[in-house]
Structure formats: structure tokens, C-alpha cells
Amino acid sequence: MQQDLIARARTWLAEDPDPETREELAGLIDAGDLGALEDRFAGTLQFGTAGLRGEIGAGPMRMNRSVVIRAAAGLAAYLKARGESGGLVVIGYDARYKSADFARDTAAVMTGAGLRAAVLPRPLPTPVLAYAIRHLGAVAGVEVTASHNPPRDNGYKVYLGDGSQIVPPADAEIAAEIAAVGPLDGVPRPESGWETLGDEVLDAYLARTDAVLSPGSPRTARTVYTAMHGVGTSVLTAAFARAGFPAPVLVAEQADPDPAFPTVAFPNPEEPGAMDLAFATARRAAPDLVIANDPDADRCAVAVPDASAPAGWRMLRGDEVGALLAAHLVSRGVTGVFAESIVSSSLLGRIAEKAGLGYEETLTGFKWIARVEGLRYGYEEALGYCVDPEGVRDKDGITAALLVAELASVLKEQGRTLLDLLDDLAVEHGLHATDQLSVRVEDLTVIADAMRRLRDKPPTSLAGLPVASAEDLSQGTEFLPPTDGLRYHLTGARVIVRPSGTEPKLKCYLEVVLPVPDTKSLPATRAKAAALLATIKQDLASAAGI
């Protein structure tokens, strides 16, 4: 067993093209560090509907150039098997460690396979890549990014020619092609032959961002903006300038790309402490809004002044922003279908129904939301919003920020705020209060054990509310394909439990819906909802053993 492990490591080392990971692996072999080698060679990083994502390092269980070259070769084989020889593959990348290397390797593999490859000119937001696929008539696209994961991670996200991320069965078919790739020296990787795009694609994307706004709408909202050490600053500020909004005040410490993400524990606006510098800047600048993107700028976080909040600013939940944008679009008279994932607030369905618009629920992820027929607006509670599906069939933190700023400007002219509109929605449709129980683990068996425990002994009540129905989503439903998840419907509440698709987390999504007779009763109703959510969270954690 030991000799087999060392032999596999030496075989991998012999074909690793990256001096850094070669040095890492050689050091582990020389030191006889069997634990570290076993960790890196326990299997292969799995290619799924989120593509690849993992920690950078040597070996098949890490993100590295060898793994990326194999992934690119598998994708190329998949495309050629479907008659796309000579087709264009567009490649984008963020500013994380190794992202530029992974993008260049992908371009080389595509070129060597007889496809055409075009690489975006520099690290840019993921939505620019999603836009470029359709704009350039590509047969596929690749974005090298780990989104809001920790600094040590990177990832490889794949889109097909419709501009949407892959869904089954394409993921399994591409994975099979990756598994069939032989030794790396058999994968042609020329030194040149691909195109590095200029700013024309970015300019076309920016021109498209104007389309999300109403002609002549107010553009007065003042913002503080953080890119969270990612790639959003230059594109968002250019979009705001084109639209005629006041220039955002930048959170200087986080404005420039930095793969170390030195000021945050996790570069995700939802994580505790991630917005502290933004709030400090806001207390000095006194804007109407704080807007944050995650590092690849496909998500958008929004915070508003709130004297009752500890920092004087309150982060809006993704579900709150999702409802606000929906209400804004309805007020503008849009037509089409509103869509969201099953873990997002049911308030969107009520807004759509009252407006006479279509509504659909999908599985988690924009790979599903973007495929809804007739989609006009889609969102997910994890700060993802698709406000221009004809331009970008994915979540887009730049255009979402523009639309939020427009809504804040409209309300500002009326002497009102986003919080006022949230109050209106609660009175009109009932208070839809959401929360999340999210458990990050080192050992993935903790998640599997929790899911098994809930399946073996499902709760019969939570917070004293009887569970009216329990669904095992792994069996699929009339409207949804199978996914690893559980859904509980309670009287006036809903709970969904699922493992995260991108991080080592168990995620539990909670929603309580309470009637609101009038605005005066809102504080008491919110307090009741908060108490119910807290108790549901405790009871669910106990039932799951976490």
C-alpha cells in the first residue's frame, strides 16, 4: 500500500508541468509524509455541475495545472464529439493564485485540440465571461475562479454555448472524457495560436449594462463600494459612470485584486466581519447604500443605514434584495417569468402572482435558474441576481448593483428608503422572514451523518409547529429532478436541508411567513418571526445532531 502510494506520487510528479507543485510533491515524497500524500492521492477532484473547485496544491485531489490540463482536454473531447470541431471557446479568469496559468493552459489545450480559443484580456468579473460566450457565438466558455472561497482555493467553471453553466448529463459526460485522458505528454499544448481579446468585449458588456435601467430614471443614490479584494472595482465603477450615478466611494483597503484576501477571514460578504471595513468607510462617507461584490463579482451584497444595528448599517439578506428588485421590476411594468431556487424565499412567488407574471422554482444554482423558459428575472438567496437574462444567463453582481442603485434613487426622490419598501411588501404579502443554519466542517462525514439521521428519523415538529409534509428531494418531485436535500413544510414555515455544492458546509434554509395587519404591527411580528426562526434552528440542529 505504502509503495503503491509512493509510486503513484512519482508517476504524477514525472508529468507535472508546474515547478511549484513539483517542488511541493517532491518534498512530500522525500520526507515520506504518507499522511499528506494519502490526502492528495485519495481519489480525484470530482468534476460536477459546479465544474471543479478545491485547494491549490499537488496531486489529483488538488487544483493544479495537471488537473486543469486534463479537465480542458476532456472538455475539448466532449465538444468535438458533438460536432463542434473548430468552434470557439472563450476563457475568463479572476485574480486568484494560478488563475492566469490555468486560463493559459486551457487555451493551449483547446488550440491543440483543433478548437479556437480566446482569452479575456485580464482578470475580469465572471459575468463578463458569461456575456462573452453568447456575444461572440462561442460553443463553450471556461471561467477560472473559486468565487468567494478561501484564498487557498481555485476552481474551473464550465459553460456551454447557450451561455449557461452546465447541468446533467453534460457534467457526467465531460467527467467521463476527463477520465479517459491518458498521459499528459499525449495532450497537445502549443505555445501559441489562441487569441487574447482586447477591451471590445468588455465595452460591449458595459454598453449592455445600461439596458437594465429605465431611460431617464433618477441616478442620485450615493454608494460605498467594496470589491472584497476581487476583480469588480474597475468594471463596476465604469458601469456606474456610464449610467450617470455618483462615483462610488471605494473601500480603499479592498479595492484592488489581492489573492491573499488580507483583510477578511473569508472573502464572502455574508461571512461575519467581511463587511467591517465597508461599514467603517460608510460611517465616514454617509452614503445611501453600501454595495459589495464577491471576488469574481457575480454576487451583490447590499447594506442600508440602520440606527438600531451595531455598526449603524445593516446587511440586507439575499431574500430581501431579491424581493426588492422584483418589486422594482414589477413597478416598471416588466413581463416574463420570475424564477428562484427552492432555497429562496417564497415571497417572490407572491409578488409574481399578484403582478400576473409567471413564476418557477428550480434546484439550487443559476445553472438551473438561467434555463427557465421566458425568464425575465431570477435570484437566489446567496446574493445572486440575474436581472438581464438576455445579456448574461447567470448571476451578475454588476448589473444587480446598478438596479439596486436605481431603486434606491427612485425611493430617495420620494423621501423613502429600501427599508420602507420592505415594510410595504410585508404588509401586502405577509412577513417572509428567513434565516440559515450553516455548518462548516473539516470532516465531510459529519454532513453525511446529519443527512442520514434526518432521513432515518425526520422531525415531526419544529418550534412547536407540526411538520405537515416531508420530502426527500433525492427522489425528485413532479417539478424537480433529484438532488441531495430534504424539504419540510410546516404550518406557516418551511425548512430545506442540503449539503453545499461548492464548500464543505451543511446548509439549512429556514422561512417563517406571518400575516401583518398593518405597519404598526410590524415590530411585534418581526420579533415573533425571529423567535420562531431561532427555535426552529435549535430544534433542527438537535434533530440533525450538529
Side-chain angles (χ1 to χ4, degrees):
M1 180 68 180
Q2 177 179 332
Q3 291 305 313
D4 176 59
L5 177 60
I6 296 291
R8 282 188 289 138
R10 290 192 186 280
T11 299
W12 185 276
L13 177 65
E15 64 175 21
D16 188 342
D18 189 330
E20 290 184 30
T21 46
R22 282 177 59 83
E23 181 180 351
E24 174 195 338
L25 187 54
L28 294 174
I29 294 171
D30 291 345
D33 191 340
L34 298 181
L37 290 172
E38 180 63 43
D39 189 38
R40 286 160 174 75
F41 287 85
T44 58
L45 208 57
Q46 291 302 300
F47 186 93
T49 50
L52 294 167
R53 196 174 292 189
E55 186 176 343
I56 294 171
M61 287 295 290
R62 297 287 189 269
M63 281 296 296
N64 52 64
R65 291 182 61 198
S66 296
V67 165
V68 165
I69 290 166
R70 290 181 180 280
L75 174 59
Y78 169 87
L79 293 170
K80 291 172 71 175
R82 277 147 190 79
E84 302 290 5
S85 295
L88 175 67
V89 179
V90 191
I91 302 149
Y93 59 104
D94 66 12
R96 284 177 177 268
Y97 296 119
K98 300 287 183 184
S99 285
D101 294 339
F102 296 165
R104 185 173 58 251
D105 283 332
T106 301
V109 170
M110 295 301 163
T111 303
L115 292 144
R116 292 180 296 126
V119 184
L120 293 183
R122 58 186 171 279
L124 287 168
T126 293
V128 177
L129 181 278
Y131 168 81
I133 294 166
R134 299 183 70 215
H135 178 69
L136 297 174
V139 298
V142 170
E143 176 70 16
V144 180
T145 181
S147 189
H148 56 279
N149 276 39
R152 64 180 183 272
D153 289 0
N154 213 327
Y156 198 82
K157 190 182 289 188
V158 176
Y159 299 74
L160 294 181
D162 62 354
S164 300
Q165 295 178 54
I166 55 170
V167 295
D171 57 336
E173 292 166 353
I174 296 170
E177 295 284 6
I178 294 170
V181 174
L184 286 193
D185 59 11
V187 178
R189 286 183 288 132
E191 293 293 320
S192 61
W194 58 89
E195 179 185 3
T196 299
L197 297 167
D199 278 348
E200 297 82 7
V201 169
L202 176 60
D203 291 342
Y205 167 82
L206 285 169
R208 177 85 200 184
T209 62
D210 296 352
V212 305
L213 304 174
S214 290
S217 64
R219 312 281 167 92
T220 56
R222 295 174 302 108
T223 58
V224 158
Y225 171 72
T226 176
M228 208 66 67
H229 297 297
V231 297
T233 297
S234 63
V235 179
L236 182 132
T237 53
F240 270 56
R242 285 182 61 100
F245 286 103
V249 176
L250 301 181
V251 179
E253 302 93 329
Q254 299 174 336
D256 296 326
D258 187 336
F261 303 105
T263 68
V264 291
F266 289 95
N268 178 354
E270 293 180 294
E271 293 284 348
M275 295 291 287
D276 287 355
L277 286 171
F279 293 159
T281 304
R283 285 193 292 272
R284 294 191 299 269
D288 301 300
L289 292 172
V290 172
I291 289 175
N293 287 140
D294 66 339
D296 68 326
D298 62 351
R299 298 170 194 245
C300 177
V302 180
V304 295
D306 184 346
S308 66
W313 285 80
R314 177 165 84 82
M315 268 275 287
L316 297 181
R317 291 187 170 277
D319 284 319
E320 292 176 314
V321 177
L324 288 168
L325 291 179
H328 182 45
L329 290 170
V330 166
S331 74
R332 285 173 32 178
V334 303
T335 58
V337 177
F338 283 7
E340 63 181 341
S341 64
I342 57 172
V343 299
S344 304
S345 171
S346 58
L347 176 56
L348 184 69
R350 298 201 180 186
I351 292 171
E353 182 182 15
K354 181 152 189 183
L357 299 175
Y359 168 75
E360 280 198 36
E361 271 190 328
T362 74
L363 292 184
T364 308
F366 271 81
K367 57 184 176 280
W368 299 107
I369 293 171
R371 285 181 157 75
V372 168
E373 192 170 341
L375 181 68
R376 177 57 185 86
Y377 168 64
Y379 98 90
E380 191 157 70
E381 55 74 42
L383 309 183
Y385 314 94
C386 176
V387 301
D388 178 24
E390 285 304 305
V392 176
R393 292 189 178 177
D394 201 358
K395 54 187 177 291
D396 183 346
I398 305 297
T399 49
L402 284 171
L403 202 60
V404 168
E406 179 184 60
L407 172 57
S409 299
V410 170
L411 292 168
K412 186 178 179 179
E413 290 214 342
Q414 300 168 358
R416 305 175 74 237
T417 68
L418 296 180
L419 294 180
D420 293 328
L421 181 52
L422 284 174
D423 288 350
D424 292 348
L425 292 173
V427 173
E428 185 175 3
H429 301 287
L431 177 66
H432 290 62
T434 58
D435 201 356
Q436 190 179 129
L437 172 62
S438 182
V439 182
R440 185 181 293 273
V441 301
E442 293 293 330
D443 181 0
L444 290 177
T445 62
V446 173
I447 295 175
D449 289 346
M451 295 298 289
R452 183 169 56 251
R453 192 176 286 110
L454 288 170
R455 285 189 168 104
D456 291 346
K457 192 177 180 183
T460 55
S461 69
L462 295 168
L465 302 174
V467 176
S469 66
E471 296 171 280
D472 187 341
L473 298 176
S474 66
Q475 307 302 311
T477 72
E478 182 183 354
F479 303 106
L480 299 170
T483 188
D484 187 9
L486 300 164
R487 179 163 59 179
Y488 305 109
H489 291 284
L490 301 89
T491 304
R494 184 206 65 192
V495 173
I496 295 173
V497 184
R498 60 178 283 273
S500 170
T502 55
E503 297 178 90
K505 282 183 175 182
L506 181 69
K507 291 187 157 186
C508 310
Y509 305 85
L510 324 175
E511 180 175 43
V512 169
V513 182
L514 297 173
V516 182
D518 51 49
T519 305
K520 288 180 182 177
S521 61
L522 262 172
T525 308
R526 285 203 168 99
K528 180 180 178 182
L532 274 172
L533 287 168
T535 309
I536 290 173
K537 195 184 290 191
Q538 291 172 355
D539 290 355
L540 185 64
S542 176
I546 51 176

